[in-house]
Amino acid sequence: MNNNNNTIVCLVTGATRGVGKGIALAFGEKKYTVYITGRTVEEFTIEKRLGGSLNQTKAEVEALGGICIPIKADSSNDDEMKAVLDQIEEEQGHLDILVNNAFRVPKPASQFFSKPFFEQDTRFLDEQYNVGCRNHFVLSTLACPLLFKANRTSLIVNISSAGGQNHLFSVSYGMIKTMVDRMSVDMGIELKEHNKNTACISLWPGVVKTERMILGAKLMGGKETVEKGETPQFVGRTIAALYNDENILEKSGKIWSTRKLGDLFNVTDVDGKKFDVDINSEPRVLTVANDNNNDN
């Protein structure tokens, strides 16, 4: 076991590509120790049209100065995810940041993105829920003992989207993201009620230049919009900035956008770009009984 409790230890699920990979890279910039999970060890073995793999993410994180430990694990399998936490406990003894990012786009993706709910297979809901919501709850629950051992305020980030409050992609997608938002707010409430030194937020990235979004723009249009978007690494930089905020607990139990955090902490993208906050696109505050301080 690494007995140095000053080592910042992170776990990012679904980090073979996209937002998860970008978050891992941003943590690499900070020289953190980053555990990453996913199903793709080598490129194009599962997603035939999208690049990215655990091994590639590891190489890029370590090129930035971080330490990266890739673990092949399916986020819909509780036993495999518990084994990930067991390995972290054995090797590190604590966990500082948990990012629940994993999500599964049902196949065929063309139907998921374009067909109305009454023409979609109901398994689409189950597949999204198991990976992109239920797993977030299970992994957060199982990770709490390790998060509570951190020597400073630890952090749970559940990756959501504007689909939690606005129609985006499909009815089932909106259902999942709504649940993630509510879960994150309520986790923050209960952590605070029990005096735990752990913060929890739901995070909405904006339009992100992921492999999937770039491919989708080529096939269906919207290239200009995607090109103006955030890089996946920007998402990770906003999380790192939040983690290093001395008032992090004040921001717990809320839904944040990457744009709002970026503005608050003066975060720039990899090309130095800053993003304006669009007040009309910001998450609405979820009501909390007997809470008179709900402003994000």
Side-chain angles (χ1 to χ4, degrees), residues 133-176:
C133 183
R134 181 186 181 278
N135 172 256
H136 295 5
F137 176 82
V138 171
L139 195 58
S140 297
T141 302
L142 295 177
C144 273
L146 287 174
L147 291 162
F148 297 161
K149 291 179 180 179
N151 70 352
R152 55 184 282 191
T153 304
S154 52
L155 174 64
I156 300 170
V157 177
N158 296 311
I159 300 299
S160 184
S161 87
Q165 295 182 3
N166 307 280
H167 182 267
L168 182 64
F169 302 139
S170 69
V171 172
S172 57
Y173 180 84
M175 291 170 63
I176 299 306

Short mmCIF file of all heavy atoms in Angstrom, two decimals, residues 133-176:
data_model
loop_
_atom_site.label_atom_id
_atom_site.label_comp_id
_atom_site.label_asym_id
_atom_site.label_seq_id
_atom_site.Cartn_x
_atom_site.Cartn_y
_atom_site.Cartn_z
N CYS A 133 -26.68 5.66 -14.34
CA CYS A 133 -27.38 6.17 -13.16
C CYS A 133 -27.23 5.21 -11.98
O CYS A 133 -26.68 5.57 -10.95
CB CYS A 133 -28.85 6.40 -13.47
SG CYS A 133 -29.78 7.11 -12.10
N ARG A 134 -27.74 4.00 -12.15
CA ARG A 134 -27.65 3.03 -11.05
C ARG A 134 -26.20 2.83 -10.61
O ARG A 134 -25.90 2.82 -9.42
CB ARG A 134 -28.26 1.69 -11.47
CG ARG A 134 -28.21 0.64 -10.36
CD ARG A 134 -28.69 -0.73 -10.84
NE ARG A 134 -28.65 -1.68 -9.74
CZ ARG A 134 -27.55 -2.32 -9.34
NH1 ARG A 134 -26.39 -2.10 -9.96
NH2 ARG A 134 -27.59 -3.16 -8.32
N ASN A 135 -25.30 2.68 -11.58
CA ASN A 135 -23.89 2.49 -11.24
C ASN A 135 -23.32 3.68 -10.48
O ASN A 135 -22.49 3.51 -9.59
CB ASN A 135 -23.06 2.25 -12.50
CG ASN A 135 -21.58 2.24 -12.23
OD1 ASN A 135 -20.88 3.21 -12.54
ND2 ASN A 135 -21.09 1.19 -11.61
N HIS A 136 -23.78 4.88 -10.81
CA HIS A 136 -23.29 6.07 -10.10
C HIS A 136 -23.66 5.99 -8.62
O HIS A 136 -22.86 6.34 -7.74
CB HIS A 136 -23.89 7.34 -10.70
CG HIS A 136 -23.48 7.61 -12.12
ND1 HIS A 136 -22.70 6.75 -12.85
CD2 HIS A 136 -23.74 8.67 -12.93
CE1 HIS A 136 -22.49 7.26 -14.06
NE2 HIS A 136 -23.11 8.43 -14.12
N PHE A 137 -24.89 5.54 -8.36
CA PHE A 137 -25.32 5.40 -6.97
C PHE A 137 -24.55 4.30 -6.26
O PHE A 137 -24.04 4.48 -5.14
CB PHE A 137 -26.82 5.10 -6.91
CG PHE A 137 -27.33 4.86 -5.51
CD1 PHE A 137 -27.64 5.91 -4.68
CD2 PHE A 137 -27.46 3.56 -5.02
CE1 PHE A 137 -28.09 5.69 -3.38
CE2 PHE A 137 -27.90 3.33 -3.73
CZ PHE A 137 -28.22 4.40 -2.91
N VAL A 138 -24.46 3.13 -6.90
CA VAL A 138 -23.78 1.99 -6.28
C VAL A 138 -22.31 2.31 -6.02
O VAL A 138 -21.80 2.08 -4.91
CB VAL A 138 -23.90 0.74 -7.17
CG1 VAL A 138 -23.02 -0.39 -6.64
CG2 VAL A 138 -25.35 0.28 -7.26
N LEU A 139 -21.63 2.86 -7.01
CA LEU A 139 -20.20 3.13 -6.85
C LEU A 139 -19.95 4.22 -5.81
O LEU A 139 -19.01 4.12 -5.01
CB LEU A 139 -19.60 3.54 -8.20
CG LEU A 139 -18.06 3.50 -8.28
CD1 LEU A 139 -17.52 2.12 -7.96
CD2 LEU A 139 -17.58 3.95 -9.66
N SER A 140 -20.79 5.24 -5.78
CA SER A 140 -20.65 6.28 -4.77
C SER A 140 -20.82 5.70 -3.37
O SER A 140 -20.07 6.02 -2.44
CB SER A 140 -21.68 7.39 -4.99
OG SER A 140 -21.47 8.04 -6.23
N THR A 141 -21.82 4.83 -3.22
CA THR A 141 -22.08 4.20 -1.92
C THR A 141 -20.89 3.35 -1.48
O THR A 141 -20.43 3.46 -0.34
CB THR A 141 -23.34 3.33 -2.00
OG1 THR A 141 -24.45 4.15 -2.40
CG2 THR A 141 -23.65 2.68 -0.67
N LEU A 142 -20.39 2.54 -2.39
CA LEU A 142 -19.27 1.66 -2.06
C LEU A 142 -17.97 2.44 -1.84
O LEU A 142 -17.10 1.99 -1.09
CB LEU A 142 -19.08 0.62 -3.17
CG LEU A 142 -20.22 -0.37 -3.39
CD1 LEU A 142 -19.91 -1.28 -4.58
CD2 LEU A 142 -20.45 -1.22 -2.13
N ALA A 143 -17.85 3.59 -2.50
CA ALA A 143 -16.60 4.36 -2.41
C ALA A 143 -16.54 5.25 -1.17
O ALA A 143 -15.45 5.71 -0.80
CB ALA A 143 -16.44 5.23 -3.65
N CYS A 144 -17.67 5.49 -0.52
CA CYS A 144 -17.67 6.42 0.62
C CYS A 144 -16.65 6.08 1.71
O CYS A 144 -15.98 6.99 2.22
CB CYS A 144 -19.08 6.54 1.20
SG CYS A 144 -20.07 7.80 0.34
N PRO A 145 -16.50 4.83 2.12
CA PRO A 145 -15.48 4.55 3.15
C PRO A 145 -14.08 5.02 2.75
O PRO A 145 -13.32 5.51 3.59
CB PRO A 145 -15.55 3.03 3.30
CG PRO A 145 -16.96 2.69 2.93
CD PRO A 145 -17.29 3.62 1.80
N LEU A 146 -13.74 4.90 1.46
CA LEU A 146 -12.43 5.37 0.99
C LEU A 146 -12.39 6.89 0.90
O LEU A 146 -11.37 7.51 1.22
CB LEU A 146 -12.12 4.76 -0.38
CG LEU A 146 -11.74 3.28 -0.41
CD1 LEU A 146 -11.60 2.79 -1.84
CD2 LEU A 146 -10.44 3.05 0.35
N LEU A 147 -13.48 7.49 0.46
CA LEU A 147 -13.54 8.95 0.38
C LEU A 147 -13.45 9.58 1.76
O LEU A 147 -12.82 10.64 1.94
CB LEU A 147 -14.84 9.37 -0.31
CG LEU A 147 -14.95 9.05 -1.80
CD1 LEU A 147 -16.40 9.10 -2.26
CD2 LEU A 147 -14.10 10.02 -2.63
N PHE A 148 -14.03 8.93 2.75
CA PHE A 148 -14.00 9.47 4.12
C PHE A 148 -12.61 9.37 4.74
O PHE A 148 -12.34 10.03 5.75
CB PHE A 148 -15.01 8.74 5.00
CG PHE A 148 -16.45 8.91 4.59
CD1 PHE A 148 -17.43 8.02 5.02
CD2 PHE A 148 -16.84 9.94 3.74
CE1 PHE A 148 -18.76 8.17 4.65
CE2 PHE A 148 -18.17 10.10 3.35
CZ PHE A 148 -19.13 9.21 3.81
N LYS A 149 -11.72 8.57 4.15
CA LYS A 149 -10.36 8.43 4.67
C LYS A 149 -9.40 9.48 4.12
O LYS A 149 -8.24 9.55 4.56
CB LYS A 149 -9.82 7.03 4.36
CG LYS A 149 -10.50 5.91 5.12
CD LYS A 149 -9.91 4.56 4.74
CE LYS A 149 -10.59 3.42 5.49
NZ LYS A 149 -10.05 2.09 5.10
N ALA A 150 -9.84 10.27 3.15
CA ALA A 150 -8.98 11.30 2.58
C ALA A 150 -8.60 12.32 3.66
O ALA A 150 -9.38 12.58 4.58
CB ALA A 150 -9.68 11.98 1.41
N ASN A 151 -7.42 12.90 3.53
CA ASN A 151 -6.98 13.85 4.56
C ASN A 151 -7.41 15.28 4.29
O ASN A 151 -6.98 16.21 4.98
CB ASN A 151 -5.46 13.77 4.75
CG ASN A 151 -4.69 14.33 3.56
OD1 ASN A 151 -5.27 14.65 2.53
ND2 ASN A 151 -3.38 14.46 3.71
N ARG A 152 -8.25 15.48 3.29
CA ARG A 152 -8.86 16.77 3.01
C ARG A 152 -10.23 16.50 2.43
O ARG A 152 -10.63 15.34 2.28
CB ARG A 152 -7.99 17.60 2.04
CG ARG A 152 -7.69 16.86 0.75
CD ARG A 152 -6.76 17.61 -0.16
NE ARG A 152 -7.45 18.69 -0.88
CZ ARG A 152 -6.89 19.35 -1.89
NH1 ARG A 152 -5.65 19.08 -2.27
NH2 ARG A 152 -7.56 20.30 -2.52
N THR A 153 -10.99 17.53 2.11
CA THR A 153 -12.33 17.33 1.58
C THR A 153 -12.28 16.55 0.28
O THR A 153 -11.58 16.93 -0.67
CB THR A 153 -13.02 18.68 1.32
OG1 THR A 153 -13.03 19.44 2.53
CG2 THR A 153 -14.45 18.47 0.86
N SER A 154 -12.99 15.44 0.24
CA SER A 154 -13.05 14.62 -0.96
C SER A 154 -14.26 15.02 -1.80
O SER A 154 -15.10 15.81 -1.36
CB SER A 154 -13.10 13.14 -0.61
OG SER A 154 -14.13 12.86 0.32
N LEU A 155 -14.35 14.48 -3.00
CA LEU A 155 -15.34 14.98 -3.95
C LEU A 155 -15.92 13.85 -4.80
O LEU A 155 -15.18 13.01 -5.32
CB LEU A 155 -14.68 16.02 -4.87
CG LEU A 155 -15.51 16.57 -6.03
CD1 LEU A 155 -16.73 17.34 -5.52
CD2 LEU A 155 -14.64 17.47 -6.91
N ILE A 156 -17.25 13.86 -4.93
CA ILE A 156 -17.96 12.99 -5.87
C ILE A 156 -18.55 13.89 -6.96
O ILE A 156 -19.25 14.85 -6.65
CB ILE A 156 -19.10 12.22 -5.20
CG1 ILE A 156 -18.58 11.33 -4.06
CG2 ILE A 156 -19.87 11.38 -6.23
CD1 ILE A 156 -19.70 10.72 -3.20
N VAL A 157 -18.26 13.57 -8.21
CA VAL A 157 -18.83 14.30 -9.34
C VAL A 157 -19.61 13.32 -10.20
O VAL A 157 -19.05 12.33 -10.68
CB VAL A 157 -17.75 14.99 -10.19
CG1 VAL A 157 -18.38 15.67 -11.40
CG2 VAL A 157 -16.97 16.00 -9.36
N ASN A 158 -20.88 13.58 -10.39
CA ASN A 158 -21.72 12.78 -11.27
C ASN A 158 -21.95 13.56 -12.55
O ASN A 158 -22.53 14.65 -12.53
CB ASN A 158 -23.05 12.46 -10.58
CG ASN A 158 -22.87 11.59 -9.36
OD1 ASN A 158 -22.19 10.58 -9.39
ND2 ASN A 158 -23.47 12.01 -8.24
N ILE A 159 -21.48 13.01 -13.66
CA ILE A 159 -21.60 13.71 -14.94
C ILE A 159 -23.03 13.59 -15.46
O ILE A 159 -23.53 12.50 -15.69
CB ILE A 159 -20.61 13.16 -15.98
CG1 ILE A 159 -19.17 13.32 -15.47
CG2 ILE A 159 -20.79 13.89 -17.32
CD1 ILE A 159 -18.73 14.75 -15.22
N SER A 160 -23.66 14.73 -15.64
CA SER A 160 -25.02 14.79 -16.13
C SER A 160 -25.04 15.62 -17.41
O SER A 160 -24.05 15.67 -18.13
CB SER A 160 -25.94 15.38 -15.05
OG SER A 160 -27.28 15.37 -15.45
N SER A 161 -26.15 16.28 -17.69
CA SER A 161 -26.21 17.15 -18.86
C SER A 161 -27.47 17.98 -18.80
O SER A 161 -28.36 17.75 -17.97
CB SER A 161 -26.17 16.35 -20.16
OG SER A 161 -27.47 15.94 -20.54
N ALA A 162 -27.57 18.93 -19.73
CA ALA A 162 -28.77 19.76 -19.81
C ALA A 162 -30.01 18.92 -20.11
O ALA A 162 -31.13 19.39 -19.92
CB ALA A 162 -28.59 20.82 -20.88
N GLY A 163 -29.80 17.67 -20.54
CA GLY A 163 -30.92 16.78 -20.78
C GLY A 163 -31.71 16.46 -19.53
O GLY A 163 -32.82 15.94 -19.61
N GLY A 164 -31.16 16.80 -18.36
CA GLY A 164 -31.88 16.59 -17.12
C GLY A 164 -33.02 17.57 -16.92
O GLY A 164 -33.94 17.31 -16.13
N GLN A 165 -32.99 18.69 -17.64
CA GLN A 165 -34.04 19.70 -17.48
C GLN A 165 -34.60 20.19 -18.81
O GLN A 165 -35.54 20.99 -18.83
CB GLN A 165 -33.51 20.87 -16.66
CG GLN A 165 -33.15 20.50 -15.23
CD GLN A 165 -32.67 21.68 -14.39
OE1 GLN A 165 -32.63 22.82 -14.85
NE2 GLN A 165 -32.28 21.39 -13.16
N ASN A 166 -34.04 19.71 -19.92
CA ASN A 166 -34.50 20.12 -21.25
C ASN A 166 -34.51 18.90 -22.16
O ASN A 166 -33.68 18.00 -22.00
CB ASN A 166 -33.56 21.18 -21.85
CG ASN A 166 -33.36 22.37 -20.92
OD1 ASN A 166 -34.18 23.25 -20.85
ND2 ASN A 166 -32.24 22.35 -20.19
N HIS A 167 -35.42 18.87 -23.11
CA HIS A 167 -35.45 17.72 -24.02
C HIS A 167 -34.16 17.65 -24.82
O HIS A 167 -33.76 18.62 -25.47
CB HIS A 167 -36.63 17.79 -24.97
CG HIS A 167 -36.71 16.60 -25.88
ND1 HIS A 167 -36.14 16.58 -27.13
CD2 HIS A 167 -37.27 15.37 -25.70
CE1 HIS A 167 -36.34 15.39 -27.68
NE2 HIS A 167 -37.03 14.65 -26.84
N LEU A 168 -33.50 16.51 -24.77
CA LEU A 168 -32.26 16.30 -25.50
C LEU A 168 -32.13 14.83 -25.86
O LEU A 168 -32.22 13.96 -24.98
CB LEU A 168 -31.06 16.74 -24.63
CG LEU A 168 -29.68 16.64 -25.26
CD1 LEU A 168 -29.57 17.59 -26.47
CD2 LEU A 168 -28.60 17.00 -24.23
N PHE A 169 -31.97 14.53 -27.11
CA PHE A 169 -31.78 13.18 -27.66
C PHE A 169 -33.04 12.33 -27.58
O PHE A 169 -33.58 11.92 -28.60
CB PHE A 169 -30.62 12.45 -26.99
CG PHE A 169 -29.30 13.15 -27.09
CD1 PHE A 169 -28.43 13.19 -26.01
CD2 PHE A 169 -28.91 13.79 -28.27
CE1 PHE A 169 -27.21 13.85 -26.10
CE2 PHE A 169 -27.70 14.44 -28.37
CZ PHE A 169 -26.84 14.48 -27.28
N SER A 170 -33.51 12.03 -26.36
CA SER A 170 -34.65 11.12 -26.24
C SER A 170 -35.29 11.26 -24.87
O SER A 170 -34.69 11.80 -23.94
CB SER A 170 -34.21 9.67 -26.45
OG SER A 170 -33.41 9.23 -25.37
N VAL A 171 -36.51 10.75 -24.75
CA VAL A 171 -37.20 10.77 -23.46
C VAL A 171 -36.40 10.01 -22.41
O VAL A 171 -36.22 10.47 -21.28
CB VAL A 171 -38.62 10.17 -23.60
CG1 VAL A 171 -39.28 10.02 -22.22
CG2 VAL A 171 -39.48 11.04 -24.50
N SER A 172 -35.93 8.83 -22.77
CA SER A 172 -35.21 8.00 -21.79
C SER A 172 -33.92 8.67 -21.33
O SER A 172 -33.55 8.58 -20.15
CB SER A 172 -34.92 6.62 -22.39
OG SER A 172 -34.17 6.72 -23.59
N TYR A 173 -33.24 9.37 -22.23
CA TYR A 173 -32.01 10.08 -21.85
C TYR A 173 -32.33 11.15 -20.80
O TYR A 173 -31.63 11.29 -19.79
CB TYR A 173 -31.38 10.72 -23.08
CG TYR A 173 -30.11 11.49 -22.80
CD1 TYR A 173 -28.88 10.83 -22.72
CD2 TYR A 173 -30.12 12.88 -22.63
CE1 TYR A 173 -27.71 11.54 -22.47
CE2 TYR A 173 -28.96 13.58 -22.39
CZ TYR A 173 -27.75 12.91 -22.30
OH TYR A 173 -26.59 13.61 -22.05
N GLY A 174 -33.40 11.90 -21.04
CA GLY A 174 -33.79 12.92 -20.09
C GLY A 174 -34.15 12.34 -18.73
O GLY A 174 -33.85 12.93 -17.69
N MET A 175 -34.81 11.18 -18.73
CA MET A 175 -35.15 10.53 -17.46
C MET A 175 -33.89 10.21 -16.66
O MET A 175 -33.83 10.45 -15.45
CB MET A 175 -35.93 9.25 -17.74
CG MET A 175 -37.32 9.46 -18.30
SD MET A 175 -38.07 7.91 -18.89
CE MET A 175 -38.15 6.97 -17.35
N ILE A 176 -32.89 9.66 -17.33
CA ILE A 176 -31.65 9.25 -16.65
C ILE A 176 -30.95 10.47 -16.06
O ILE A 176 -30.52 10.48 -14.90
CB ILE A 176 -30.72 8.51 -17.62
CG1 ILE A 176 -31.38 7.23 -18.16
CG2 ILE A 176 -29.39 8.19 -16.93
CD1 ILE A 176 -31.89 6.29 -17.09
#
